[in-house]
Amino acid sequence: MFFYTYMNPNTEKLRKKYMDNPPEGMTSEDIRRMSEDNLLDMDYFLNEDDLFDDEAGVEGFYIS
């Protein structure tokens, strides 16, 4: 029995990006073996402006 796993082409582009230039502390092999969900999570956290800033993403919105 064969199982076919659908890989999103955009996710595979992201995987190639990180395999070519892995984040500090990781190797290309680590990236290759990551699940799609873990890869997307990593990308989200690496590209988040400031995870601990309470005002992140609410520019221009003020309660007076």
Side-chain angles (χ1 to χ4, degrees):
M1 177 181 266
F2 292 98
F3 293 97
Y4 177 75
T5 303
Y6 172 74
M7 293 295 211
N8 183 329
N10 293 327
T11 305
E12 287 309 301
K13 288 178 189 175
L14 197 60
R15 185 180 308 278
K16 178 161 178 23
K17 170 187 165 184
Y18 286 117
M19 284 177 68
D20 291 345
N21 188 17
E24 186 176 337
M26 299 190 83
T27 66
S28 294
E29 186 67 20
D30 294 333
I31 303 298
R32 187 178 72 77
R33 293 177 182 222
M34 289 178 95
S35 71
E36 189 171 351
D37 287 339
N38 287 342
L39 181 67
L40 292 171
D41 287 346
M42 179 186 74
D43 181 62
Y44 175 81
F45 287 111
L46 288 174
N47 292 300
E48 181 68 18
D49 289 338
D50 186 353
L51 296 175
F52 303 105
D53 184 4
D54 290 335
E55 300 297 323
V58 292
E59 289 181 11
F61 180 79
Y62 301 97
I63 297 175
S64 45

